[in-house]
Amino acid sequence: TGCVDTSECVNLPNISLEELNGRSTFRLFPNPANEWLQLDLDAAWLGIDLHYAIANSNGQVLLRGQLYPPDHLEIDISQLPAGLYFIRLNGQALQVFVKS
């Protein structure tokens, strides 16, 4: 029928383990995750209040919360639908994960 549709280009952020604003990034596991997401933090994150925000690929924030290192570094993601998500700590460090 000659119909064609193309989505807008989307730039994905750097998701390496490099330093960001003088603070080490963090690692997530398992990835992909199903019900719980565990964070592995470098020592630079310990001793500070940690707030997280999880957004979908459209940038809509679906979950927010606070983490209490070193003991409570798990996030319940069971209510999220399957898909690609971005998690940001304290408005700075960013990682990508997949909810299966």
Side-chain angles (χ1 to χ4, degrees):
T1 63
C3 293
V4 175
D5 193 7
T6 304
S7 66
E8 293 181 32
C9 293
V10 176
N11 289 324
L12 294 177
N14 182 356
I15 57 172
S16 70
L17 297 176
E18 297 176 7
E19 295 284 317
L20 181 64
N21 293 332
R23 177 157 283 139
S24 296
T25 59
F26 58 98
R27 290 161 296 284
L28 303 171
F29 61 93
N31 193 4
N34 192 9
E35 302 215 3
W36 291 91
L37 194 59
Q38 177 79 33
L39 280 75
D40 179 23
L41 303 175
D42 291 337
W45 288 102
L46 302 179
I48 61 172
D49 291 338
L50 292 177
H51 300 273
Y52 67 87
I54 295 177
N56 62 17
S57 58
N58 293 324
Q60 178 185 13
V61 175
L62 302 176
L63 288 176
R64 290 183 190 271
Q66 186 170 359
L67 298 170
Y68 302 94
D71 299 324
H72 298 94
L73 294 175
E74 290 183 338
I75 301 172
D76 181 359
I77 59 167
S78 60
Q79 71 273 22
L80 294 175
L84 178 72
Y85 293 92
F86 301 87
I87 181 169
R88 186 175 296 275
L89 282 185
N90 290 358
Q92 296 178 26
L94 180 73
Q95 289 285 338
V96 177
F97 72 94
V98 174
K99 165 69 169 29
S100 56

